[in-house]
């Protein structure tokens, strides 16, 4: 479905039907945990809310949206179910990645409209890609691919030979052309269904592939969300579900304390410190999203966003850790909302995109280099 008006700035509206999404996500969270995949109702709700179309170019009916409402919407969903929020964030983010495909490839992906759900396994490169006439042949396995059971397309990445050496190349493949193996048995984010994808002799045409360095280059005339370099927003996308999980843990823990006959002796300190950490994390992520939407794009700004997103993730993890350890025996129950939030938060915080040391090195390099900007 092609819309002639390029990018359609008027479509950049906040996400919708979030209350319906959060209600469905909260209701289905235990089922998603048990099945290790989101329910069809939860996927339908996050699709109706507009996550898959959020960054889709306007000419295909998408929103070409902004990062501030996305972070807020993902965090809202994460309060109810971190796995739902994780898939919602990634379906949105992968739509942004697919917008870097050549025009013919974009038309194929969004031929049926902007609500296409796209899974991905692009970092690190996996499997094998061999050049053939008109494209590349893919063989091997890629993991993990969150939400792949509910996806229409999937982005896969492999190393390929280029004129200047090895290239990190991304391929868009219809979900129906790959095999999904049930391998997702995790401590946290159980409901994401982040299974393994396998291809054998699958040929991908040239118009459905590009190299990762395209994500670092500005695209003249494109919507703002398609000119922001990948490192400026990657950690932001992964931190937003963690913020939601932390808020959910705080709400559950507070409810348990109100209902308990005997309170933890330091409940007031745990509550104050955890809530302050979570509030600070929200401010950091909102600031990073605003920088991505409105700020000048410089090496220092990119490094500041990585710094703030990883710092927010650390604050959320610390808050959930404290709440879990102050929950006593109650949190050992498998149906404890605090325990589930703790497992989900622990899994998210361990993601490579949220590595605080890597973000710190990038920030120091940006600040201390001669062209780093005005300093901290």
């Amino acid at each position: 479905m092609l819309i002639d008006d390029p990018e359609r700035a008027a479509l950049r509206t906040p996400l919708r039907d979030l209350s319906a999404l959060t209600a469905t996500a909260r209701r289905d969270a235990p089922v998603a945990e048990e099945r290790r995949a989101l329910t069809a109702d939860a996927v339908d709700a996050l699709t109706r809310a507009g996550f898959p179309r959020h960054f889709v170019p306007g000419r295909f009916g998408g929103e070409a949206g902004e990062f501030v409402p996305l972070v807020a919407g993902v965090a809202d969903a994460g309060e109810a179910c971190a796995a739902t929020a994780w898939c919602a964030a990634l379906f949105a983010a992968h739509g942004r990645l697919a917008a870097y495909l050549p025009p013919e490839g974009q038309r194929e992906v969004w031929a049926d409209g902007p609500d296409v759900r796209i899974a991905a396994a692009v970092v690190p490169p996996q499997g094998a890609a061999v050049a053939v006439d008109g494209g590349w042949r893919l063989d091997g396995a890629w993991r993990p691919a969150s939400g792949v059971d509910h996806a229409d397309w999937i982005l896969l990445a492999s190393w390929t030979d280029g004129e200047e050496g090895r290239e990190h190349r991304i391929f868009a493949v219809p979900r129906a052309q790959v095999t999904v193996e049930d391998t997702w048995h995790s401590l946290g984010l159980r409901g994401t269904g982040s299974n393994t994808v396998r291809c054998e002799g699958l040929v991908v045409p040239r118009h459905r592939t590009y190299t990762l360095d395209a994500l670092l280059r500005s695209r003249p005339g494109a919507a703002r969300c398609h000119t922001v370099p990948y490192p400026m927003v990657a950690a932001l996308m992964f931190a937003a579900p963690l913020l939601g999980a932390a808020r959910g843990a705080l709400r559950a823990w507070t409810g348990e304390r109100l209902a308990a006959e005997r309170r933890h002796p330091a409940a007031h300190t745990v509550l104050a410190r955890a809530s302050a950490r979570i509030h600070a994390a929200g401010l950091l992520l909102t600031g990073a999203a605003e920088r991505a939407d409105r700020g000048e794009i410089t090496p220092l700004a990119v490094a500041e966003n990585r710094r703030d997103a990883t710092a927010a993730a650390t604050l959320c993890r610390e808050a959930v850790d404290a709440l879990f350890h102050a929950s006593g025996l109650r949190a050992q129950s498998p149906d404890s909302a605090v325990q589930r939030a703790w497992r989900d938060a622990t899994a998210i915080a361990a993601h490579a995109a949220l590595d605080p040391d890597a973000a710190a090195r990038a920030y120091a390099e940006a600040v201390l280099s001669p062209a780093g900007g005005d300093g901290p």
Side-chain angles (χ1 to χ4, degrees), residues 183-206:
T183 57
W184 186 243
H185 300 270
S186 62
L187 172 71
L189 292 179
R190 290 177 180 173
T192 60
S194 302
N195 288 308
T196 297
V197 170
R198 186 172 293 278
C199 300
E200 300 296 340
L202 177 62
V203 176
V204 181
R206 292 184 183 277

Side-chain angles (χ1 to χ4, degrees), residues 64-306:
E66 297 184 330
F67 291 93
V68 167
L70 182 69
V71 168
V74 168
D76 282 350
E79 258 190 87
C81 174
T84 301
W86 181 265
C87 289
L90 293 189
F91 283 148
H94 299 155
R96 197 181 85 89
L97 298 186
Y100 287 79
L101 287 166
E104 185 179 353
Q106 293 183 42
R107 286 193 292 271
E108 280 193 34
V109 169
W110 291 302
D112 295 326
D115 292 318
V116 171
R117 294 185 292 267
I118 303 172
V122 296
V123 178
Q126 299 172 75
V130 177
V132 296
D133 286 346
W136 280 264
R137 189 189 72 228
L138 299 185
D139 293 276
W142 288 258
R143 67 182 301 270
S146 298
V148 67
D149 288 324
H150 298 284
D152 304 296
W153 287 76
I154 183 165
L155 302 177
L156 304 175
S158 296
W159 290 115
T160 58
D161 293 328
E163 294 180 359
E164 299 181 2
R166 287 204 309 172
E167 297 176 326
H168 185 157
R169 182 168 289 277
I170 296 171
F171 305 88
V173 177
R175 161 66 178 82
Q177 294 183 5
V178 304
T179 300
V180 176
E181 299 177 350
D182 183 4
T183 57
W184 186 243
H185 300 270
S186 62
L187 172 71
L189 292 179
R190 290 177 180 173
T192 60
S194 302
N195 288 308
T196 297
V197 170
R198 186 172 293 278
C199 300
E200 300 296 340
L202 177 62
V203 176
V204 181
R206 292 184 183 277
H207 64 264
R208 281 202 264 116
T209 179
Y210 64 92
T211 56
L212 186 70
D213 62 359
L215 299 177
L216 305 176
R217 299 193 298 266
S218 179
R219 302 176 64 206
R224 169 73 183 207
C225 65
H226 300 138
T227 65
V228 178
Y230 177 71
M232 191 172 189
V233 294
L236 184 62
M237 295 294 94
F238 293 111
L242 179 48
L243 175 62
R247 288 174 175 169
L250 181 64
R251 180 171 60 180
W253 189 90
T254 303
E256 290 175 358
R257 298 285 75 69
L258 290 172
E261 293 183 5
R262 296 181 62 187
R263 297 184 179 181
H264 188 281
H268 57 287
T269 301
V270 173
L271 176 62
R273 288 180 176 174
S275 62
R277 284 187 171 98
I278 295 167
H279 180 64
L283 294 176
L284 284 169
L285 292 185
T286 298
E290 289 175 344
R291 196 180 290 126
D293 285 334
R294 303 276 188 271
E296 183 183 1
I297 299 175
T298 65
L300 181 58
V302 171
E304 287 173 339
N305 263 30
R306 289 186 65 185

Side-chain angles (χ1 to χ4, degrees), residues 21 24-47 81 83-84 87 91 117 150 191-193:
L21 171 59
T24 302
R26 182 171 290 109
R27 182 199 71 193
D28 290 359
V31 178
E33 282 255 306
E34 181 181 355
R35 296 180 180 176
R36 295 175 292 109
L38 297 185
T39 65
D41 285 349
V43 174
D44 287 345
L46 71 82
T47 303
C81 174
T84 301
C87 289
F91 283 148
R117 294 185 292 267
H150 298 284
T192 60

